[in-house]
């Protein structure tokens, strides 16, 4: 006898509703500047050697305290759920003209869809309209914005912290989202501490150019390929969950993708970032948020991409003769499955 089928409305909480109109908005909606959300926020107290969760809660406030899907997290590998094979591909197109000390760490590029260039000590828009490329994440296009580094790592694996962590920040390809913190995706890369002969060669291309004080410095070295950097790592799988920004305003709904494969970094490279952090953060030489409760969330684990099985010369003839027609790529996949079943 119940003649209705509607659920009662739910709280909006931290979410923002955007109004869509024809054409591109003159001023992007939901333009939330970090300075408008919080005052001075801290990772810990001066003299402390590690992140202080109490200090972070008291100085960050807002959703950083009340949110239920916050980042970073501790990935407990025994509890992860198996997912499909890796489904992220990167298509970056970047040219580095300057490097940046944000006051909270080292960063390449701005949190915007298009490239920027340095003019003196200022960063200005690149009016050529060139983007920095994108990544395909589970079939959706996310524009690449910037990469920055934390020490020690923010995410941990089975309780283990790492020397550093890089965050490659993206946003869903939707003009209405520009200037907001919504529909973000992050690819995370962990760095293990090696010996002094194991300094990271990729970081060495630009690491020493980062200024110790807050600001931008021109980069005149050779350009480098971020696609090559991530392709091999992505092929070895990653952990995925939904979380938040790890700095205020701690916006939730962020797609997190933490690479399983790690890289090495030497103490000298860690020291340089710590020296800069200490100079800009009043003696606090770390920039990691304390790990947050997983709550109801599930972390999934993607499988390593399978190695293609060599195809017998008569495989195409055998499959076609059965009355089916497949492309060579499809045949390779079918044979890979057969190989797994017969193993």
């Amino acid at each position: 006898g119940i003649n209705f089928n509607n659920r009662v409305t739910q709280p909006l909480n931290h979410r923002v509703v955007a109004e869509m109109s024809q054409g591109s908005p003159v001023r992007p909606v939901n333009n939330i500047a970090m300075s408008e959300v919080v005052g001075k926020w801290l990772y810990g107290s001066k003299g402390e050697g590690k992140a202080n969760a109490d200090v972070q809660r008291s100085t960050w406030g807002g959703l950083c305290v009340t949110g239920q899907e916050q980042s970073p997290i501790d990935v407990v590998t025994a509890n992860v759920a198996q997912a499909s094979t890796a489904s992220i591909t990167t298509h970056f197109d970047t040219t580095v003209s300057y490097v940046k000390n944000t006051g909270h760490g080292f960063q390449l590029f701005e949190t915007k869809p298009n490239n920027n260039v340095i003019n003196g000590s200022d960063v200005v828009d690149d009016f050529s309209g060139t983007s920095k490329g994108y990544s395909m994440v589970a079939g959706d296009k996310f524009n690449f914005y910037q990469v920055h580094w934390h020490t020690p790592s923010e995410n941990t694996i089975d309780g283990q912290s790492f020397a550093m962590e890089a965050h490659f920040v993206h946003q869903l390809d939707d003009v209405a989202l520009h200037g907001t913190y919504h529909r973000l995706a992050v690819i995370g890369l962990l760095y293990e501490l090696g010996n002094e002969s194991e300094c990271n060669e990729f970081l060495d291309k630009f690491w020493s150019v980062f200024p110790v004080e807050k600001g931008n410095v021109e980069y005149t070295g050779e350009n480098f390929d971020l696609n090559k950097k991530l392709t091999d790592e992505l092929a070895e799988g990653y952990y995925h969950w939904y979380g938040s920004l790890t700095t205020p305003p701690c916006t939730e709904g962020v797609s997190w993708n933490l690479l399983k494969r790690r890289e090495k970094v030497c103490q000298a490279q860690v020291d340089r970032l710590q020296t800069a952090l200490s100079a800009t953060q009043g003696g606090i030489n770390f920039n990691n948020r304390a790990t947050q409760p997983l709550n109801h969330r599930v972390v999934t684990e993607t499988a390593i991409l399978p190695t293609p099985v060599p195809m017998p010369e008569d495989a195409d003839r055998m499959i076609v003769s059965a009355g089916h027609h497949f492309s060579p790529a499809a045949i390779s996949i079918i044979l890979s499955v057969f190989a797994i079943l017969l193993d």
Side-chain angles (χ1 to χ4, degrees):
I2 299 174
N3 66 347
F4 52 87
N5 64 342
N6 65 303
R7 186 185 184 189
V8 297
T9 57
Q10 303 298 304
L12 187 64
N13 295 328
H14 61 278
R15 295 172 292 170
V16 175
V17 178
E19 180 180 8
M20 306 301 295
S21 59
Q22 292 182 344
S24 300
V26 175
R27 181 179 182 272
V29 296
N30 308 344
N31 194 352
I32 304 172
M34 190 173 294
S35 60
E36 295 173 355
V37 179
V38 293
K40 184 176 182 180
W41 49 277
L42 303 171
Y43 284 107
S45 298
K46 185 175 181 179
E48 291 183 314
K50 63 179 183 179
N52 186 319
D54 292 333
V55 170
Q56 292 175 7
R57 280 193 294 268
S58 64
T59 62
W60 295 23
L63 189 61
C64 304
V65 177
T66 62
Q68 297 298 304
E69 296 186 355
Q70 291 288 293
S71 293
I73 65 169
D74 177 42
V75 176
V76 180
T77 56
N79 296 338
V80 299
Q82 297 299 312
S84 60
T85 55
S87 59
I88 296 179
T89 57
T90 61
H91 308 271
F92 299 154
D93 183 13
T94 58
T95 301
V96 178
S97 61
Y98 65 95
V99 297
K100 179 176 187 174
N101 181 334
T102 65
H104 290 291
F106 291 166
Q107 180 174 309
L108 296 179
F109 314 114
E110 302 296 321
T111 311
K112 298 180 179 180
N114 291 334
N115 271 314
N116 294 84
V117 294
I118 191 167
N119 181 11
S121 60
D122 297 324
V123 172
V124 297
D125 288 334
D126 179 359
F127 290 105
S128 66
T130 56
S131 67
K132 290 168 284 193
Y134 62 94
S135 291
M136 295 300 297
V137 181
D140 292 321
K141 182 180 179 181
F142 283 78
N143 292 321
F144 171 63
Y145 281 2
Q146 49 101 333
V147 55
H148 62 268
W149 287 265
H150 295 267
T151 184
S153 69
E154 297 206 291
N155 294 293
T156 58
I157 307 291
D158 293 326
Q160 179 184 356
S161 179
F162 297 86
M164 291 195 336
E165 182 175 349
H167 292 162
F168 295 80
V169 181
H170 301 67
Q171 187 172 51
L172 186 68
D173 183 29
D174 184 342
V175 67
L177 297 173
H178 294 173
T180 78
Y181 293 124
H182 299 287
R183 298 301 305 273
L184 299 175
V186 178
I187 300 174
L189 171 62
L190 298 170
Y191 297 84
E192 296 176 331
L193 185 63
N195 58 45
E196 288 307 308
S197 66
E198 294 178 299
C199 291
N200 191 284
E201 293 183 2
F202 184 81
L203 295 182
D204 268 346
K205 297 177 184 294
F206 52 84
W207 205 246
S208 63
V209 186
F210 280 112
V212 172
E213 299 295 335
K214 181 178 179 180
N216 309 302
V217 171
E218 184 179 11
Y219 175 77
T220 58
E222 65 174 306
N223 201 38
F224 39 85
D225 187 357
L226 292 176
N227 290 304
K228 180 174 174 54
K229 169 54 49 184
L230 290 179
T231 298
D232 291 342
E233 282 88 346
L234 284 166
E236 295 193 22
Y238 53 88
Y239 301 106
H240 168 73
W241 67 94
Y242 281 97
S244 72
L245 295 175
T246 62
T247 57
C250 303
T251 307
E252 295 184 337
V254 178
S255 170
W256 276 91
N257 307 277
L258 184 64
L259 298 169
K260 291 183 181 179
R261 179 173 169 180
R262 302 156 197 162
E263 295 197 2
K264 288 290 182 68
V265 68
C266 65
Q267 188 62 52
Q269 292 172 320
V270 176
D271 289 345
R272 180 161 182 82
L273 177 53
Q274 289 180 332
T275 298
L277 290 170
S278 182
T280 57
Q281 295 187 148
I284 299 172
N285 69 347
F286 50 87
N287 64 343
N288 66 304
R289 186 186 188 190
T291 55
Q292 305 296 305
L294 189 62
N295 294 326
H296 58 278
R297 293 173 289 173
V298 175
V299 177
T300 60
E301 174 185 26
T302 64
I304 298 175
L305 288 176
T307 301
V309 175
M311 188 167 54
E313 293 182 1
D314 59 347
D316 185 60
R317 179 187 60 77
M318 290 188 295
I319 294 175
V320 171
S321 66
H324 302 284
H325 298 271
F326 298 95
S327 68
I331 293 171
S332 179
I333 293 173
I334 292 170
L335 291 174
S336 296
V337 173
F338 286 161
I340 293 173
L341 294 174
L342 294 173
D343 189 5

